Amino acid sequence: MNPATETGKEAYAHWKTMRPVKAVLMFQIGADTLQIAHNFAVKEATILRWITNERCQRLNLPNPYKREE
């Protein structure tokens, strides 16, 4: 997606999906989960879930947050 041609709704969707990836990058360079939570204005538990979800996906591990359907 080209940010210059995105509509507001598309840009928000893209930004929202990139937040967990950015949180993982921040964690990998040494930021504390509480610092990351303050940066994104979310609860620390949300950051922990984002990091776990991304890690499980990247390493092909079972995800403890995934709901059984």
Side-chain angles (χ1 to χ4, degrees):
M1 259 186 204
N2 182 352
T5 61
E6 292 176 344
T7 66
K9 202 177 272 191
E10 290 170 337
Y12 178 75
H14 178 70
W15 172 79
K16 193 171 182 179
T17 59
M18 291 305 296
R19 293 189 321 164
V21 174
K22 290 179 181 177
V24 170
L25 291 174
M26 291 174 71
F27 184 74
Q28 288 175 336
I29 62 171
D32 182 69
T33 54
L34 188 57
Q35 294 169 330
I36 300 168
H38 285 297
N39 188 44
F40 286 102
V42 297
K43 295 179 181 178
E44 187 175 15
T46 301
I47 297 301
L48 294 169
R49 188 182 74 243
W50 287 355
I51 291 170
T52 301
N53 289 343
E54 288 293 318
R55 180 178 175 270
C56 290
Q57 184 178 1
R58 290 178 186 184
L59 299 176
N60 199 24
L61 297 171
N63 187 339
Y65 290 103
K66 188 172 184 176
R67 293 183 178 149
E68 298 295 325
E69 295 184 30

